Amino acid sequence: MSELNLMYEGIKFPNHIHSEESLRYARDGFQVRDDDVFIVTYPKSGTTWMQEILPLIYSNGDLTPVQTIPNWQRVPWLEHISGKSLLEERPSPRLITTHLQNHMLPKIFHTSKAKVIYMARNPKDVLVSAFHYYGMASFLEDPGTFEEFIEKFLEGNVLFGSWFDHIKSWWPAKDQDNFIFLTYKELLQDRRGTLVKLGDFLGKQLSSDTIEIIANQSEFNNMKQNKMSNYSFVPEELMDQKKSNFLRKGIAGDWKNHFTSAQNEHFNSVYAQKMKGLDFPYYND
Ligand code: A3P
């Protein structure tokens, strides 16, 4: 186990922003409110994107929050060491991020009316994005070669645990009224339509002008310019964006530029085996 990591309930977390205490607080100490709104993602699935969109929906398209507050303060991670202080006293509705699997949230969360936006991404693109991210962030373990990283990813021997376990832990909630399942690809292909869907889910009447403002601000190249969202505040010793930008490519299907056909076949067969029996209609193509 690398000294950069913390092992908690069989899952590896980067220990510069997580502690046993913060993870315990996320489940046992945090008081969920019915009007909380959670962004739930497995890392590298579009978390930062949602952290741009959600505050803009709640500000009715006023850009002030996304232009003045860093994403990690705007929509804080529940499980981070800073989660408690950033969230406990915050007025409702609180916008909250989590990478945790479903069972790691407070018991009351499961019976509350808190809303959940689950954002999923093709796991092969998640893997590629994570590989580059691990390579540029000095506080994350070394990814090894791409071939090695594929194995680690398939075994769940990566930060935040297995992608498969994450999806499987959240998918059963998909039919609840307080849950919406979105994909990175649909947001990429139809940002405006997805924003309307999201607004309806959140009970927000968004005018077409507001939709336009949000769609524009959350466009990849515009977000890349936003200092409050592109992690350019983080010193180069921690995140070397010369190696790879945090907002790197922002496309679907980049895995095709990385996987050999043998690696792809291998991934597909493990995917089929791990997802067997789950009525999960999404792709990994
Ligand atoms: P890539 O590395 O494939 O470019 P997270 O925020 O969960 O860590 O996810 C990061 C990934 O989401 C990165 O993927 C990043 O570029 C992508 N992303 C962030 N904002 C985006 C946007 N506005 N449009 C498309 N992709 C975006």
Side-chain angles (χ1 to χ4, degrees):
M1 173 66 43
S2 152
E3 67 197 16
L4 299 172
N5 299 332
L6 160 76
M7 197 64 149
Y8 187 80
E9 299 196 356
I11 296 179
K12 267 197 249 179
F13 293 89
N15 72 10
H16 72 296
I17 40 175
H18 301 85
S19 65
E20 282 195 21
E21 197 185 348
S22 72
L23 290 161
R24 212 174 306 116
Y25 170 78
R27 185 168 54 199
D28 300 332
F30 182 66
Q31 300 296 313
V32 180
R33 300 181 200 153
D34 276 339
D35 49 10
D36 285 340
V37 181
F38 286 80
I39 298 171
V40 181
T41 56
Y42 185 84
K44 312 320 284 177
S45 302
T47 322
T48 320
W49 202 358
M50 268 300 147
Q51 289 173 328
E52 193 86 356
I53 289 173
L54 210 55
L56 289 169
I57 291 180
Y58 278 84
S59 71
N60 261 314
D62 177 354
L63 300 182
T64 312
V66 300
Q67 288 179 337
T68 57
I69 312 170
N71 64 307
W72 61 85
Q73 280 178 24
R74 217 189 283 150
V75 194
W77 273 266
L78 168 62
E79 61 272 21
H80 280 191
I81 291 167
S82 56
K84 183 176 180 184
S85 62
L86 287 174
L87 289 168
E88 216 158 58
E89 306 295 327
R90 190 169 284 217
S92 292
R94 297 180 297 188
L95 308 179
I96 305 166
T97 305
T98 185
H99 287 323
L100 294 176
Q101 291 181 20
N102 183 295
H103 67 274
M104 298 178 93
L105 268 79
K107 270 205 184 73
I108 190 166
F109 168 82
H110 304 285
T111 50
S112 79
K113 296 194 179 99
K115 291 198 163 131
V116 176
I117 300 159
Y118 190 96
M119 173 94 158
R121 188 180 190 189
N122 180 336
K124 290 177 196 164
D125 281 338
V126 168
L127 185 160
V128 167
S129 182
F131 177 73
H132 289 286
Y133 182 47
Y134 281 41
M136 65 84 106
S138 63
F139 52 87
L140 302 179
E141 64 184 26
D142 188 294
T145 64
F146 189 66
E147 178 89 14
E148 287 163 354
F149 194 66
I150 291 179
E151 275 324 299
K152 287 190 208 167
F153 186 90
L154 291 173
E155 286 163 9
N157 182 17
V158 281
L159 295 166
F160 303 95
S162 156
W163 179 89
F164 301 97
D165 290 349
H166 202 274
I167 280 282
K168 286 183 196 170
S169 84
W170 285 100
W171 184 242
K174 69 183 186 312
D175 297 324
Q176 291 174 201
D177 292 343
N178 59 343
F179 187 96
I180 190 168
F181 188 89
L182 299 177
T183 66
Y184 180 95
K185 199 172 180 181
E186 70 180 300
L187 191 54
L188 203 61
Q189 289 176 339
D190 180 14
R191 206 160 52 252
R192 286 159 185 82
T194 311
L195 289 173
V196 170
K197 196 161 129 185
L198 203 47
D200 288 347
F201 170 70
L202 296 168
K204 295 273 165 203
Q205 298 294 325
L206 303 172
S207 69
S208 52
D209 285 353
T210 305
I211 296 277
E212 211 41 50
I213 292 170
I214 302 175
N216 185 50
Q217 178 66 25
S218 62
E219 194 272 326
F220 182 71
N221 286 313
N222 290 338
M223 268 184 68
K224 244 184 127 142
Q225 305 303 318
N226 183 358
K227 286 194 172 60
M228 296 293 155
S229 307
N230 64 13
Y231 284 88
S232 54
F233 278 143
V234 178
E236 199 175 304
E237 308 85 77
L238 293 177
M239 278 190 186
D240 187 351
Q241 301 219 33
K242 289 200 194 99
K243 282 191 187 156
S244 177
N245 282 312
F246 183 87
L247 293 164
R248 193 183 57 92
K249 275 200 181 170
I251 60 170
D254 193 32
W255 68 267
K256 292 175 191 160
N257 301 315
H258 290 74
F259 280 63
T260 63
S261 57
Q263 288 168 340
N264 186 34
E265 270 174 39
H266 174 54
F267 192 103
N268 287 347
S269 87
V270 175
Y271 181 95
Q273 180 207 322
K274 293 213 186 253
M275 299 297 270
K276 200 170 164 189
L278 196 76
D279 62 334
F280 186 69
Y282 296 90
Y283 54 77
N284 64 0
D285 62 348

